[in-house]
Amino acid sequence: MLKAAKKIWQNEFFQGGIFYTTSSFFNHLMNYLFNFLAGRTLGPKGYAEISTLFSYTTIALVPTVVFSTFLIQKISASSLNQKIYTRSLERLFLNKIKKWWYLFVIPIIFAPLLPKFTNLTPLVAWSLYPLLYFAYLSSFYGSAIQGLKLFLAVSLIGILVTFLKLIGAWLVYLGLDGIATIIFFLIMSNFFLFYLSKRVVTGHLKKNMIINSKILEKRTLQLLTSRQFVIIFVSTLALTLLNNLDVVIVKKFFLATDAGIYSSWSLFAKIILYFVGPLISISFVFISGSKNEAIKNKTLLYSLIILFFVGIISFAFYKNFASFIIGFFFGNKFEAVTPYLASASIFGSFYTALTFFNSFYLAKNSSLALILPIFLPIYIVLLYLIPKKLSAVITLNIFFSATLVLAYLILYLFSKIRYSKITDGSTQRMESLETNINY
């Protein structure tokens, strides 16, 4: 028994799963504490600044999310020595930065226009530059750590930088300055994410081992222009916009207080996604790794059933304890969100269902993952045309996400029926062939 337990513990996948799952739990917890402390201290106006800053950052970093996914897969699945392959990728990455360095400088020219364009205060708007620069630089090294399966390092770095971000909100909660302190610690958090990730990767690699960079560059270019990459990029961008564009638009065109109220509503909606997020990742692995269509369908079905019950429970909880929840987490300054809280569970459930379907079709490398990107322009136009009221934006989010979930369900059932007919036809032909052979 002890030998079996020791063998399981020494398994690389098991250890990585334990480290990563545990650190993810603490990171999510600290992120929520950050939001609640920032909301309580800064009030709706200040919290709208921070949440909108995060939305702009999330949208701008979509290319790095897709790039990181491919990078992790390529390093971990490399038939070459992984250290050599990663070292060669690093050399290619640094050479590209040296060649295209001016692309990092050009956006600074538009700095004076950024506060007016985003409706953020100058300090918050200008903080986008260092946050994005460090995030883009750390994207390679963070992906490399995961591709090299250095799960303990990933976990420790993640906890450290998230805790550093939390310190900023905690100091403000204790009375030290205000939003400037939070911005400072956000920038420091991103800097240390880059610095520590780079130290771990460079310390793990051998500097004198490099493969042909021209061949590697050619392969990378082919990968970035492949059908699969385009589908993943476009669908990921669409999901990110659906989850963040409403916060950006509300901040741009609504009153500052309303923007803060809406940001808190959006956070409670996203809790559902974060709660079942690990299930989406596991489902993606099962669907990608299985060649059995029945297993893929069962994985999606079970995931949606779990989501259904999570949605029902969250709706009942938000509906019956709205005042308590708002008062406990955000304080009395956010009482205006109480009437809308139950609807946050509805939108959160539908958005999470969209994420499940999107993940399902991405894992199958299906063009049906492009359904959301195709219909998203309609959502964006309606977001501009609807009355500038919180209830109008909330209603639009619910109806749009519900319509797309229904469309996915119909297409899924249609494809399942079609697959069943093809399977039955193949079975009948095989039975007929066997009969003729026996005859």
Side-chain angles (χ1 to χ4, degrees):
M1 185 70 178
L2 289 174
K3 288 183 178 180
K6 185 178 180 180
K7 187 176 181 180
I8 292 173
W9 172 250
Q10 291 176 343
N11 180 272
E12 185 179 49
F13 181 79
F14 180 81
Q15 283 189 351
I18 292 294
F19 292 142
Y20 195 75
T21 302
T22 304
S23 65
S24 295
F25 171 78
F26 282 109
N27 286 337
H28 284 318
L29 181 61
M30 286 190 288
N31 276 321
Y32 277 114
L33 285 174
F34 169 87
N35 279 279
F36 296 142
L37 288 174
R40 276 182 167 272
T41 307
L42 302 176
K45 293 182 180 180
Y47 183 67
E49 295 278 322
I50 297 299
S51 60
T52 307
L53 174 67
F54 287 155
S55 292
Y56 275 113
T57 304
T58 303
I59 293 171
L61 292 178
V62 168
T64 67
V65 173
V66 182
F67 170 73
S68 297
T69 301
F70 271 88
L71 196 62
I72 292 169
Q73 192 275 331
K74 288 299 176 183
I75 293 176
S76 60
S78 175
S79 58
L80 300 169
N81 183 295
Q82 289 184 348
K83 292 184 179 182
I84 299 176
Y85 186 71
T86 306
R87 176 62 179 142
S88 302
L89 283 174
E90 182 193 27
R91 176 62 61 88
L92 179 62
F93 176 71
L94 294 176
N95 287 340
K96 292 301 178 184
I97 290 179
K98 291 178 182 178
K99 182 178 180 180
W100 303 100
W101 62 269
Y102 54 85
L103 294 178
F104 288 84
V105 179
I106 290 176
I108 299 178
I109 300 174
F110 302 98
L113 302 176
L114 203 57
K116 185 176 181 180
F117 174 78
T118 61
N119 201 27
L120 294 169
T121 57
L123 174 65
V124 178
W126 294 334
S127 68
L128 270 169
Y129 290 111
L131 289 175
L132 291 177
Y133 290 157
F134 287 131
Y136 272 103
L137 290 173
S138 61
S139 63
F140 171 82
Y141 293 102
S143 304
I145 293 177
Q146 294 185 59
L148 292 169
K149 300 181 180 66
L150 303 175
F151 297 113
L152 180 59
V154 173
S155 304
L156 293 177
I157 291 174
I159 291 175
L160 179 62
V161 298
T162 307
F163 180 70
L164 189 62
K165 181 174 75 172
L166 177 61
I167 288 176
W170 183 256
L171 289 175
V172 174
Y173 181 74
L174 294 178
L176 180 63
D177 196 26
I179 200 168
T181 300
I182 292 179
I183 295 298
F184 172 78
F185 277 92
L186 284 176
I187 295 173
M188 291 298 296
S189 174
N190 276 31
F191 167 75
F192 276 103
L193 176 61
F194 160 66
Y195 175 75
L196 294 175
S197 299
K198 186 177 186 303
R199 285 292 301 270
V200 170
V201 171
T202 53
H204 192 72
L205 303 180
K206 297 180 180 180
K207 297 182 179 180
N208 59 341
M209 292 184 173
I210 303 174
I211 64 174
N212 193 319
S213 59
K214 291 184 178 179
I215 296 176
L216 188 61
E217 184 175 1
K218 184 178 180 181
R219 291 177 180 175
T220 304
L221 182 61
Q222 291 174 346
L223 175 67
L224 296 178
T225 55
S226 66
R227 173 182 176 273
Q228 184 183 12
F229 183 88
V230 172
I231 291 176
I232 291 177
F233 176 78
V234 174
S235 62
T236 302
L237 177 61
L239 271 174
T240 304
L241 288 174
L242 181 61
N243 200 24
N244 293 277
L245 195 60
D246 53 345
V247 175
V248 171
I249 296 298
V250 170
K251 173 59 180 171
K252 175 67 177 177
F253 297 106
F254 286 51
L255 296 175
T257 302
D258 288 343
I261 296 300
Y262 184 82
S263 295
S264 64
W265 178 88
S266 180
L267 178 68
F268 281 111
K270 293 173 184 176
I271 287 177
I272 297 175
L273 175 63
Y274 295 148
F275 185 77
V276 297
L279 183 61
I280 297 176
S281 301
I282 295 172
S283 299
F284 184 83
V285 173
F286 269 96
I287 296 169
S288 299
S290 176
K291 296 181 180 179
N292 190 320
E293 192 70 22
I295 293 177
K296 295 179 180 181
N297 291 327
K298 285 181 180 179
T299 302
L300 176 64
L301 179 61
Y302 294 154
S303 299
L304 292 177
I305 290 174
I306 293 173
L307 173 60
F308 175 78
F309 284 107
V310 171
I312 293 295
I313 294 170
S314 65
F315 178 81
F317 190 64
Y318 283 0
K319 181 73 174 178
N320 295 305
F321 302 99
S323 297
F324 171 77
I325 294 170
I326 298 301
F328 181 79
F329 289 108
F330 277 106
N332 297 329
K333 297 177 182 178
F334 288 80
E335 281 184 357
V337 78
T338 303
Y340 306 113
L341 193 60
S343 61
S345 68
I346 300 175
F347 172 63
S349 298
F350 281 130
Y351 178 81
T352 305
L354 282 178
T355 307
F356 270 122
F357 276 113
N358 188 73
S359 178
F360 175 76
Y361 287 115
L362 281 179
K364 295 179 67 174
N365 195 22
S366 171
S367 298
L368 290 178
L370 297 175
I371 291 177
L372 176 58
I374 290 172
F375 286 95
L376 187 66
I378 299 175
Y379 171 78
I380 296 174
V381 171
L382 291 175
L383 201 56
Y384 277 97
L385 295 179
I386 60 174
K388 299 301 182 283
K389 297 179 181 178
L390 295 184
S391 58
V393 180
I394 291 171
T395 302
L396 173 62
N397 281 336
I398 293 174
F399 274 96
F400 181 78
S401 57
T403 302
L404 282 185
V405 168
L406 181 61
Y408 267 120
L409 279 172
I410 293 172
L411 289 170
Y412 168 73
L413 293 174
F414 176 78
S415 62
K416 190 176 180 181
I417 293 171
R418 184 182 178 186
Y419 175 78
S420 298
K421 288 181 178 180
I422 294 173
T423 305
D424 292 341
S426 300
T427 304
Q428 290 174 2
R429 286 193 294 271
M430 287 296 294
E431 289 176 350
S432 177
L433 179 61
E434 288 177 0
T435 301
N436 292 332
I437 291 173
N438 291 332
Y439 179 77

